Amino acid sequence: FAMILRRALLVLALAAPALAWGQTPEPAERIARLSYVEGRVEFQAADEPVSSALPDRPLVPGDRISTERDSRLELALGTATLRLDQYSELTIVDLDETTVRVELANGSATVNLTELYEDETFEIVTPNTTITLDEPGEYRTDVYGEHTTAFTVRQGGASVDAEGGLLRVATGQRVVLDGRDAEASLESPRSADAFDDWVLEREL
């Protein structure tokens, strides 16, 4: 009987790791924290009417952050890194285990998304469109005023809310969305600029 019991326990011990390996991994709890700041950056906490010092805490929905001339920053979002160029303004809209939604009101931002689970959503909202990142990759968003957004996929794939419906943007494509109705036109990606060079240095 003792030998049978030992064999049964051995079978259960071997089966348990197999069950664990077969399970779909759960997204880890997500926080947003400033991982690098260069130059002068302004921060406004959620529900606060005036700017304050940079937070000694993770960013939460409603927090707004902006960069001034010759200033840049890096925001760690778990499986993603978001970087802002000078003269850019970003607000955290939603942030939890399955949803990241940020609003880029002006300026330029890049996202390096290393992992995206099936039930996760990563969105970038601009004044005239909403961009949904559909898979891991490298992305850049540029906002010019209230009515023009340019979105570039260095690698990966995304869906853009454009006039007439969702537009799929794939690796090596750049789309410009003009006007309140987000009229879309596909273009060739532009050459790397100083912000791209800085992002590359940060990635190394």
Side-chain angles (χ1 to χ4, degrees):
F1 177 77
M3 182 176 295
I4 294 174
L5 179 60
R6 284 198 298 270
R7 287 179 178 175
L9 291 174
L10 178 60
V11 170
L12 288 174
L14 292 174
L19 291 173
W21 293 334
Q23 292 172 350
T24 301
E26 293 293 329
E29 181 180 0
R30 193 191 307 273
I31 62 171
R33 62 178 180 84
L34 284 169
S35 54
Y36 183 79
V37 173
E38 181 179 295
R40 183 175 175 82
V41 173
E42 288 193 357
F43 170 75
Q44 184 174 327
D47 302 323
E48 293 291 334
V50 296
S51 299
S52 59
L54 292 180
D56 187 20
R57 61 163 174 79
L59 273 66
V60 298
D63 285 351
R64 182 184 66 84
I65 197 159
S66 59
T67 56
E68 298 189 2
R69 180 180 178 183
D70 298 327
S71 302
R72 297 184 174 112
L73 66 82
E74 182 176 279
L75 189 63
L77 291 157
T79 57
T81 302
L82 187 149
R83 297 181 174 93
L84 285 186
D85 197 12
Q86 62 178 346
Y87 301 127
S88 300
E89 180 181 332
L90 185 87
T91 301
I92 304 293
V93 180
D94 290 316
L95 183 68
D96 57 33
E97 291 86 352
T98 60
T99 304
V100 176
R101 183 176 292 108
V102 297
E103 180 180 353
L104 183 66
N106 193 53
S108 301
T110 64
V111 175
N112 185 339
L113 183 60
T114 58
E115 195 166 17
L116 188 69
Y117 293 104
E118 185 176 350
D119 59 346
E120 285 185 303
T121 301
F122 197 117
E123 292 183 342
I124 303 165
V125 180
T126 75
N128 70 334
T129 191
T130 297
I131 300 162
T132 302
L133 307 186
D134 296 327
E135 57 189 80
E138 298 177 6
Y139 307 92
R140 173 166 170 166
T141 308
D142 299 281
V143 175
Y144 308 105
E146 296 183 358
H147 304 307
T148 303
T149 299
F151 176 67
T152 304
V153 178
R154 306 290 190 196
Q155 183 178 353
S159 300
V160 177
D161 190 4
E163 183 182 38
L166 290 179
L167 175 66
R168 173 73 177 178
V169 188
T171 297
Q173 292 184 325
R174 180 176 189 264
V175 61
V176 177
L177 302 115
D178 282 316
R180 293 184 180 274
D181 295 331
E183 182 179 350
S185 57
L186 287 173
E187 300 180 356
S188 299
R190 293 184 176 179
S191 301
D193 58 12
F195 181 44
D196 292 319
D197 293 340
W198 179 81
V199 170
L200 181 59
E201 289 178 2
R202 293 294 304 162
E203 292 287 348
L204 297 178

